[in-house]
Amino acid sequence: MIQGIGAAAGVAIGKAFVLPAWEWDVPDRRMEKVDLAKEFERLYEGIRTSKTEIEFMKNEIKETVGVAESSIFDAHIAILEDPVFMSEIQGIIERQYKAAEVAVKEAIDHFVTMFDLLDDEYMKERALDIKDVGNRLLKHLLGTPEITLPSDTQPYILVAKELSPSQLVHLNPENVLGMVTMAGGKTSHSAIMARALGIPLVSGLENKLTKPLQTGDLLVIDGDDGRLYLDPEQEIIDRYTEIAEKQRRRKEQLQLLASVEAVTRDGYRMRLAGNISSVKDFEQAIKYGAQGVGLFRTEFLYMDRPAFPTEDEQFEVYRQIVEKADGHPVVIRTLDIGGDKQLEYFTIPEEENPVLGYRGIRISLDSKELFKTQLTAILRASIYGQIKILLPMVSSLEELKRAKGFVEEAKRELSDRGLPYSNEVEVGVMIEVPAAAAIADLLAREADFFSIGTNDLVQYVLAVDRMNEKIAHMYNSYHPAVLRMLRQTVSAAKEAGIPVSVCGEMAGDEKALPIWLHLGVDTLSMSPQSLLRVKHRILNSSLKEAEEEGRYCYGLSTSEEIEAELTRYLGKDPVLGR
């Protein structure tokens, strides 16, 4: 058994197909000074062609993995537009009279080596993005065909030194049983896409193999525990065949729960909603039984386009989603850009720490017309169903009051234009900043509801960047400080008589259910893929027992104790578990 990193859950048993390394042999070709202009034109044409290809791949994969995951390719386009990367290439051409492909290869090697020397797994994985983009550009400059995957329909386990999102776009998930990579980890873009495609992935096997894997080798991979078995004994094959069959049966049985209400054994109803980025996402959430939308990330309407969406364009999307919700609430989060979410056509000044900078409600309140355009579109759609407005990154009562003032202005403008809207639209606050949790009692006097965004709340409370592999182990949703913030927020909401939901990753974690039932959370909103698992856990839970478990956990002192206790309580599913 070889121990790697479990980067995408699931089990796969099959023969390996080893993908050759995507490396180009580039002779050191130079040119005369008079040919520089022609060489620059070759470079720019290669960049244009590469960008067109990347845009095509993004749109192609969007239908399969969703808008959020397909936005990985925005990072690839950003590399082609990065002034530092391009300046390096242009400098080599101009100063050393080297051919465009030679300059690109040297620039790739320079940046990849620089990133690899950093003691930061996240930056090492970003080096793969530079290689992916650079190799695509090289392909066009050299006129070399891409390395392709097997064309037959025989299922296989794909093995590679590293896999780029560009290569994963062309995968047929029905033919790929699983994937193995020497490089990469849980935060790599290939891991994100593998999880979205539902393909098991074991990564991080560099220097752990005693001999190279060969095409045709029989493999067993465990994407949950990060294990790889090469030429396994029959007992291992039988054990993992049984595990794979249980997982397949679990998926089938869980799908039967799509139309069942999430009610505990003793009659407590919990509303489960979907986190979505598009109409397509919501259709998938409905398939898994979502009761409306708990978080619509509207920033994805603003991406992959040359300018801000118009009021009418936004209205049409909001209307479609509200109509599909069939009377269930639709919580629309206003534009949440900044930090790691940038728009090509909206320049945010470079910041020392963008996660703590100009983002979310701060941008909206500073860009009155931009904010009001979105608010009028939301209000116009409110006559088609139950819409709620959610404000991101609120950290003060003043921000909430100002935002509500903009909502009232938008209503007056719609009245002046003779356009209808509902006067029952609620305005809520996303609790994701410790300051908001600390003054939850004050915010609850002005807000119509709370929605807890656990992803940011955890990293802000613990001062831990969860994308930094060096300290990622310190990012723990069950830290006592986080649980205290959650209790303070929910208590303030209950005292003020307003509903409270959870829309971060913690909402889709089955272990956390006793915490939510103990606190009295009204709604859990999560990715569509988590809905049926959480519903199954609710159906097999007792409110009384879960409340007792949650109360007990609040008496524990460390995140390790709390998580271990919740894991013990979750136990093994007697019917569907592993």
Side-chain angles (χ1 to χ4, degrees):
M1 189 273 287
I2 302 114
Q3 185 65 55
I5 298 168
V11 166
I13 304 168
K15 292 188 175 180
F17 174 83
V18 180
L19 191 67
W22 193 9
E23 299 288 346
W24 308 115
D25 184 19
V26 182
D28 191 4
R29 188 168 68 86
R30 296 173 186 266
M31 71 207 60
E32 299 298 324
K33 187 173 183 179
V34 293
D35 294 325
L36 283 180
K38 180 182 174 184
E39 210 58 26
F40 275 117
E41 183 50 42
R42 284 184 64 230
L43 173 65
Y44 300 143
E45 178 58 31
I47 292 170
R48 285 191 292 270
T49 306
S50 297
K51 286 173 72 172
T52 300
E53 270 189 354
I54 294 170
E55 288 286 0
F56 177 80
M57 287 190 297
K58 177 182 174 179
N59 291 326
E60 187 179 23
I61 199 71
K62 191 185 296 182
E63 295 297 306
T64 305
V65 303
V67 176
E69 285 74 13
S70 68
S71 65
I72 283 168
F73 289 102
D74 291 333
H76 286 203
I77 292 171
I79 291 170
L80 286 171
E81 296 173 342
D82 184 84
V84 177
F85 183 58
M86 296 315 301
S87 174
E88 180 80 11
I89 296 170
Q90 291 163 338
I92 294 170
I93 295 173
E94 193 169 22
R95 291 191 299 273
Q96 302 179 38
Y97 302 135
K98 292 192 175 184
E101 59 269 20
V102 179
V104 170
K105 183 69 166 67
E106 289 188 10
I108 295 171
D109 292 344
H110 169 73
F111 283 102
V112 168
T113 300
M114 184 173 65
F115 281 10
D116 279 342
L117 289 173
L118 296 174
D119 191 18
D120 186 328
E121 282 303 312
Y122 179 75
M123 294 307 293
K124 289 178 189 290
E125 289 169 0
R126 297 294 74 79
L128 176 55
D129 291 329
I130 291 178
K131 282 167 98 173
D132 188 12
V133 173
N135 281 328
R136 177 163 301 283
L137 182 51
L138 278 176
K139 180 192 74 169
H140 293 300
L141 292 170
L142 292 166
T144 312
E146 282 189 50
I147 293 170
T148 56
L149 296 167
S151 57
D152 60 32
T153 56
Q154 183 66 36
Y156 56 89
I157 294 176
L158 185 63
V159 178
K161 180 179 180 182
E162 51 199 7
L163 282 169
S164 69
S166 297
Q167 291 168 306
L168 293 179
V169 163
H170 304 296
L171 288 181
N172 180 348
E174 293 181 6
N175 291 349
V176 182
L177 301 170
M179 299 188 294
V180 174
T181 62
M182 302 304 110
K186 290 183 178 181
T187 62
S188 69
H189 283 162
S190 57
I192 292 169
M193 288 189 65
R195 291 193 290 269
L197 290 165
I199 300 174
L201 169 62
V202 173
S203 298
L205 294 173
E206 194 83 74
N207 302 321
K208 294 182 179 178
L209 297 168
T210 55
K211 63 175 184 176
L213 299 179
Q214 304 287 335
T215 294
D217 283 344
L218 180 61
L219 306 178
V220 170
I221 67 169
D222 184 339
D224 295 272
D225 297 330
R227 294 174 181 170
L228 166 71
Y229 297 86
L230 172 60
D231 295 325
E233 301 288 336
Q234 188 60 44
E235 184 227 333
I236 297 291
I237 295 173
D238 292 343
R239 174 151 58 92
Y240 276 95
T241 299
E242 184 180 351
I243 290 171
E245 175 58 24
K246 282 184 177 180
Q247 290 180 344
R248 184 195 63 77
R249 191 168 70 245
R250 177 175 188 179
K251 285 183 180 178
E252 288 183 354
Q253 293 187 3
L254 286 178
Q255 188 57 50
L256 298 176
L257 302 178
S259 60
V260 177
E261 281 198 65
V263 184
T264 63
R265 295 198 311 267
D266 43 1
Y268 180 80
R269 276 179 171 73
M270 175 74 81
R271 180 172 159 261
L272 301 183
N275 291 344
I276 68 166
S277 304
S278 64
V279 176
K280 184 80 176 177
D281 285 354
F282 190 35
E283 289 171 352
Q284 187 180 22
I286 292 170
K287 175 185 172 185
Y288 294 135
Q291 293 179 303
V293 176
L295 175 66
F296 180 17
R297 304 183 186 93
T298 61
E299 53 271 18
F300 289 99
L301 297 180
Y302 292 72
M303 295 177 178
D304 190 24
R305 52 182 303 125
F308 289 112
T310 65
E311 179 187 313
D312 286 341
E313 286 174 325
Q314 293 186 63
F315 160 70
E316 185 57 32
V317 174
Y318 302 148
R319 181 188 63 78
Q320 286 183 52
I321 290 173
V322 172
E323 288 182 336
K324 286 180 182 294
D326 195 26
H328 291 297
V330 172
V331 178
I332 299 178
R333 183 174 69 186
T334 57
L335 182 61
D336 188 17
I337 55 171
D340 61 344
K341 290 174 282 190
Q342 304 288 328
L343 303 180
E344 289 181 26
Y345 50 86
F346 183 75
T347 303
I348 296 175
E350 201 166 313
E351 300 174 293
E352 279 289 320
N353 194 337
V355 177
L356 298 178
Y358 194 50
R359 57 177 297 201
I361 195 66
R362 299 166 185 176
I363 291 177
S364 293
L365 293 178
D366 207 26
S367 309
K368 181 175 181 179
E369 292 309 312
L370 171 65
F371 192 27
K372 279 172 60 178
T373 296
Q374 181 172 34
L375 292 175
T376 52
I378 294 171
L379 289 168
R380 283 173 59 190
S382 66
I383 63 171
Y384 296 92
Q386 190 181 350
I387 276 184
K388 299 184 179 188
I389 295 172
L390 179 62
L391 306 172
M393 289 297 294
V394 170
S395 59
S396 70
L397 189 59
E398 290 83 359
E399 288 172 330
L400 173 56
K401 288 182 174 181
R402 283 189 64 202
K404 289 179 70 175
F406 280 131
V407 173
E408 293 307 312
E409 279 189 44
K411 287 180 180 179
R412 287 194 293 272
E413 287 187 12
L414 286 174
S415 296
D416 292 342
R417 291 160 58 189
L419 292 173
Y421 60 87
S422 170
N423 245 324
E424 306 301 316
V425 176
E426 296 181 353
V427 178
V429 170
M430 198 159 181
I431 306 293
E432 53 188 334
V433 178
I439 60 167
D441 57 328
L442 303 178
L443 293 172
R445 298 173 191 170
E446 286 286 334
D448 295 312
F449 65 96
F450 284 164
S451 184
I452 303 173
T454 56
N455 300 4
D456 272 333
L457 184 63
V458 173
Q459 78 168 347
Y460 286 141
V461 169
L462 302 182
V464 171
D465 178 0
R466 62 196 178 117
M467 299 302 285
N468 184 337
E469 286 290 328
K470 198 74 176 173
I471 56 172
H473 64 282
M474 298 173 66
Y475 180 94
N476 193 310
S477 303
Y478 299 98
H479 192 289
V482 174
L483 297 191
R484 290 184 183 193
M485 284 282 186
L486 295 174
R487 181 167 58 188
Q488 183 172 340
T489 299
V490 178
S491 295
K494 294 295 178 186
E495 190 170 334
I498 64 172
V500 58
S501 64
V502 182
C503 64
E505 285 183 18
M506 205 173 165
D509 185 349
E510 296 162 87
K511 290 198 304 292
L513 187 60
I515 301 296
W516 308 134
L517 291 174
H518 166 60
L519 295 178
V521 166
D522 302 287
T523 300
L524 298 177
S525 186
M526 62 202 72
S527 67
Q529 292 79 8
S530 300
L531 283 163
L532 294 176
R533 287 188 295 98
V534 173
K535 183 183 289 189
H536 175 265
R537 179 51 50 188
I538 292 171
L539 291 167
N540 286 277
S541 295
S542 154
L543 174 62
K544 182 180 177 182
E545 292 172 2
E547 284 180 324
E548 290 175 359
E549 173 68 9
R551 192 176 303 111
Y552 176 74
C553 286
Y554 266 94
L556 299 176
S557 305
T558 69
S559 51
E560 289 80 6
E561 291 174 341
I562 294 166
E563 193 162 12
E565 171 58 27
L566 288 169
T567 300
R568 182 205 65 76
Y569 182 77
L570 179 65
K572 290 184 178 179
D573 189 316
V575 179
L576 306 174
R578 183 166 168 172

